[in-house]
Amino acid sequence: MNGILGSLFLWATLCAAGYGAVVSVLGAHRRSPGLIAAGRYAAYAAAAMATLAVLIMERSLLIHDFSVAYVAQVGGRSTPPLISAISLWAALEGSILFWLWLLTLYTAAVAWLHRDRDQEQVPYILTTLFCIALFFVGIAVGPGNPFALTNPIPPDGPGPNPLLQNHPLMAFHPPAQYLGYVGLSVPFAFALAALITGRVDSWWLKATRRWTLVSWGFLTLAIAAGGWWAYEVLGWGGYWAWDPVENAALMPWLVATAFLHTIMVQERREMLRGWNVSLIVAAFALTILGTFLTRSGVLGSVHAFTQSIMGPLFLGFLALVLLVSTTLILWRASLLRAPGSLDHPLSKEGAFMVSNLLLVGLTFTVLLGTVFPLVAEAVRGVKVSVGAPYFNAMTVPVLAALLFMMGVGPALPWRRPPANGVLGELGAPVAGGLATALIAALLGVRQPWPLLTMGLAGFATSVMGGQMARGTLARIRGGMGPVKAFRSLVAANRRRYGGYIVHFGVVLVAVGVAASWNYKTEREATLRPGDVLSVGDYDIRLDGVRRQQEPHRFSVIGGVSVMRKGRPAGTLEPKMNFYESRQQPIPTPAVRSAFTEDLFMNLVAYEQDGSTATFKVIVTPLVAWLWLGSAVMAMGTVVAVWPGRRRVAARAPGAAGNRAPPALELEEVA
């Protein structure tokens, strides 16, 4: 019954999306308010039907209805309820259903929030989103149907991939990534609507800025959560390996970052119209490419799904997206020639343009390293490996340049260099950067790239801190308290200061990466109970090895006591987990995380009688700064997205009920 109901709701979603696409196009062509409204209602209906399909799938997973093929594939009677619930995105068919559901929710939100504005463009926006939904629901009712029935019905299932059961971050990382990926469909739809209607000025940028920021924020959290999951599950002691699927999430994030910066240039100076349209098309296309990489079976990765016939479908859809987008851009090429121009390279818009070129160049570098092995194998039949050495050598200089531009950009005004010259404006921040590099050197940082990163981090922080301090001090001199002054400053321009908070988070991440990547201490040793292993400031004593049976797995646990500089620092319990569906054990490292450094322990091997156990121990500085910096970036995103308050000037006596003339209206910039 669950399988039949779920399939019916998917077919209803298909009908609603198809109907919505048709009536929206007709409504736009005929300028019919009734048909345009019907398109909105179709968006609500599609979201409702997709929601019901997801609820049916969740019910099937939780009650272990193995008559449903997807449940038979990823379900298991011994699987805990939470893991059963998040198994919705544990395999290919469920992830497509989840993607479709989020897309219909985004479409319904656009229909609702824009029901009274942008009436010329909204039908085309909804048509684009409906067409994307039709592709995904077509897969869901066709080759990727999660509600297909099994016969005979198995008594039990294998449970989801053990790697997805090994850490609670799997309840957060995939949804955040899907919310980011799917969310980029909205600005893409606005861009196509702008091209179709010829309204390629700044209206679509203003309408989609928050949509893009929300998607970018979710992608930021997803990338951070994915790194944290890899760090605490895979057992190798790192958080980023330039895995192709990691790169697939990074590339649209980089392009969306570039887009969020250059939309300010178009809004302020009417420049870069074609560039902005191209960026958002590229960001959306890269989400489809990432979906192809993870769902085609062409990659061998712990993140990727198995071989599937859906790969060619996604590749064809990507080609269609690029063909339609390129055709529209060429059609509107004359309108995309923006009237504004660059007055001086040493201006804020000049800094944004340089940063954009760096971000796009970095994206191309990652894309080349990710796709080249696949192309080489397809063309020449030879497996080619592009690993971390290539990515590190090619990206580290670009990342350092971006960190430098993060400091330069906020210090420059629009149009012309500062009145006191660039060096006059940047003198104090340069001194701050040099002082930071000197302190880092005194603390033992000697390698060139980490030392440069520390100096650039100090430089960028000095610029942003100086900007915020000047505004806060001005309000304090006006009679405000320090806290109220800072809050007032941020509220007056949430977009600007939210961006500064995001940049500060990036600085924390950059410092964390530079320190943790280059200054870790690692040892591996076999211990008997009572033996002590010394690593850095830590003395680690093995207390014993024990076994633990859980409903869905069997674990071997190494209990250790930790001393740091002669003082007790708690206990750790690295594990080795065994699942019935997997022959090889899955490690669960134990991590003692602190602001300055992490102690990472992984159980590598053990004797059956518990007489010895082998551990890998890694001491890594400033890893926590990555997670802290990511949280700060998320907080800055919230500040930038949060709407500002609109204030209207007082009206003249006797003018009650009359709107103030535009010149008298005041608005806090959001």
Side-chain angles (χ1 to χ4, degrees):
M1 180 60 72
N2 288 318
I4 296 173
L5 281 176
S7 294
L8 287 175
F9 287 133
L10 284 179
W11 279 104
T13 306
L14 177 67
C15 293
Y19 172 78
V22 171
V23 297
S24 294
V25 167
L26 291 176
H29 180 69
R30 298 176 182 177
R31 300 182 182 275
S32 168
L35 290 175
I36 293 174
R40 290 201 310 271
Y41 295 136
Y44 307 148
M49 294 301 101
T51 300
L52 290 171
V54 168
L55 291 175
I56 291 294
M57 178 55 70
E58 284 291 358
R59 180 178 185 273
S60 303
L61 288 165
L62 290 171
I63 68 172
H64 309 302
D65 182 358
F66 296 114
S67 67
V68 177
Y70 185 74
V71 180
Q73 177 187 353
V74 303
R77 297 192 183 278
S78 62
T79 305
L82 174 62
I83 297 175
S84 293
I86 66 175
S87 296
L88 175 63
W89 47 81
L92 183 58
E93 294 81 1
S95 70
I96 296 295
L97 174 61
F98 187 59
W99 184 298
L100 170 66
W101 178 51
L102 293 179
L103 180 58
T104 59
L105 292 181
Y106 271 116
T107 305
V110 170
W112 173 258
L113 294 174
H114 292 268
R115 64 192 182 279
D116 296 324
R117 50 196 171 108
D118 306 320
Q119 290 304 295
E120 181 185 358
Q121 293 81 23
V122 164
Y124 295 110
I125 295 166
L126 292 181
T127 298
T128 303
L129 293 172
F130 281 134
C131 289
I132 299 171
L134 283 171
F135 170 73
F136 282 94
V137 74
I139 290 179
V141 299
N145 184 4
F147 293 103
L149 301 178
T150 56
N151 188 23
I153 300 173
D156 201 352
N161 187 330
L163 287 171
L164 304 181
Q165 304 183 48
N166 228 32
H167 199 282
L169 275 173
M170 278 301 102
F172 175 78
H173 165 56
Q177 184 151 326
Y178 286 127
L179 283 164
Y181 264 19
V182 181
L184 288 175
S185 304
V186 176
F188 170 73
F190 272 82
L192 289 197
L195 291 170
I196 292 170
T197 60
R199 285 286 311 277
V200 293
D201 54 12
S202 297
W203 79 266
W204 74 275
L205 300 176
K206 296 174 182 177
T208 61
R209 185 184 71 85
R210 286 193 174 93
W211 290 107
T212 310
L213 265 174
V214 168
S215 302
W216 181 90
F218 279 121
L219 271 179
T220 302
L221 291 175
I223 292 170
W228 198 353
W229 172 82
Y231 180 61
E232 298 214 348
V233 169
L234 298 183
W236 59 286
Y239 44 81
W240 191 266
W242 294 107
D243 181 282
V245 182
E246 294 173 340
N247 298 345
L250 177 65
M251 289 186 288
W253 183 87
L254 290 171
V255 176
T257 302
F259 175 74
L260 286 170
H261 285 79
T262 51
I263 60 176
M264 291 185 281
V265 178
Q266 182 173 338
E267 289 175 357
R268 186 72 176 253
R269 298 295 320 282
E270 278 298 327
M271 297 168 56
L272 306 177
R273 285 182 178 178
W275 180 257
N276 280 323
V277 171
S278 301
L279 280 178
I280 204 60
V281 168
F284 176 72
L286 286 169
T287 66
I288 303 302
L289 176 64
T291 310
F292 161 73
L293 292 174
T294 55
R295 286 159 182 81
S296 62
V298 300
L299 295 177
S301 165
V302 297
H303 305 81
F305 295 110
T306 56
Q307 187 71 33
S308 167
I309 64 170
M310 296 184 203
L313 297 177
F314 277 100
L315 208 54
F317 182 60
L318 174 61
L320 179 63
V321 166
L322 292 176
L323 176 63
V324 171
S325 302
T326 303
T327 301
L328 288 174
I329 290 172
L330 293 176
W331 178 40
R332 296 299 190 185
S334 60
L335 296 178
L336 292 174
R337 295 190 185 97
S341 60
L342 181 65
D343 292 341
H344 199 283
L346 295 179
S347 59
K348 194 177 291 291
E349 54 267 45
F352 281 153
M353 292 171 70
V354 172
S355 298
N356 258 247
L357 292 174
L358 291 171
L359 286 165
V360 172
L362 182 58
T363 305
F364 179 76
T365 299
V366 176
L367 177 64
L368 181 63
T370 303
V371 175
F372 177 75
L374 305 178
V375 176
E377 184 175 358
V379 174
R380 299 170 53 195
V382 178
K383 286 187 177 293
V384 178
S385 176
V386 176
Y390 160 81
F391 288 105
N392 293 339
M394 297 297 291
T395 61
V396 168
V398 180
L399 292 171
L402 283 168
L403 200 56
F404 172 72
M405 295 307 301
M406 274 177 45
V408 171
L412 297 177
W414 294 98
R415 293 182 179 272
R416 295 289 179 182
N420 59 344
V422 175
L423 293 180
E425 189 70 24
L426 297 178
V430 168
L434 293 173
T436 304
L438 177 61
I439 293 171
L442 293 175
L443 292 175
V445 179
R446 295 289 186 271
Q447 297 184 32
W449 284 116
L451 193 61
L452 178 63
T453 300
M454 305 295 179
L456 291 174
F459 167 70
T461 303
S462 298
V463 172
M464 294 181 292
Q467 296 275 329
M468 299 183 80
R470 280 196 289 270
T472 303
L473 288 173
R475 284 165 167 76
I476 291 174
R477 286 193 291 268
M480 292 185 181
V483 175
K484 186 176 181 181
F486 180 76
R487 290 176 59 187
S488 172
L489 177 74
V490 173
N493 195 334
R494 296 181 186 277
R495 183 174 181 178
R496 178 182 182 185
Y497 294 106
Y500 284 175
I501 295 171
V502 170
H503 284 184
F504 180 63
V506 173
V507 167
L508 292 176
V509 171
V511 172
V513 169
S516 61
W517 203 274
N518 294 279
Y519 290 99
K520 64 173 60 176
T521 303
E522 183 174 338
R523 285 196 62 187
E524 185 172 317
T526 300
L527 305 178
R528 296 180 179 274
D531 287 351
V532 176
L533 172 65
S534 296
V535 184
D537 294 333
Y538 296 93
D539 294 316
I540 300 160
R541 185 188 70 221
L542 174 60
D543 296 329
V545 179
R546 62 186 177 87
R547 293 166 171 76
Q548 178 176 293
Q549 181 67 56
E550 298 178 75
H552 61 302
R553 67 186 179 189
F554 171 76
S555 302
V556 176
I557 304 170
V560 299
S561 297
V562 180
M563 302 282 289
R564 186 173 189 271
K565 295 182 178 180
R567 297 181 179 180
T571 60
L572 293 176
E573 292 188 337
K575 302 178 182 180
M576 192 176 289
N577 299 312
F578 296 84
Y579 296 85
E580 290 185 5
S581 61
R582 191 180 181 102
Q583 294 181 348
Q584 296 297 322
I586 305 295
T588 298
V591 182
R592 179 188 180 274
S593 189
F595 186 72
T596 55
E597 65 184 12
D598 277 17
L599 173 64
F600 177 100
M601 289 194 66
N602 191 33
L603 177 61
V604 177
Y606 66 95
E607 291 292 338
Q608 291 290 339
D609 60 2
S611 59
T612 64
T614 302
F615 297 92
K616 176 185 284 187
V617 183
I618 306 174
V619 178
T620 313
L622 304 188
V623 175
W625 287 39
L626 276 72
W627 327 132
L628 175 63
S630 301
V632 171
M633 292 169 69
M635 181 175 66
T637 304
V638 172
V639 171
V641 169
W642 203 266
R645 294 171 297 176
R646 294 178 181 272
R647 300 179 299 174
V648 180
R651 298 180 176 87
N658 297 324
R659 184 176 177 83
L664 297 180
E665 291 187 4
L666 302 175
E667 179 183 356
E668 292 185 357
V669 181

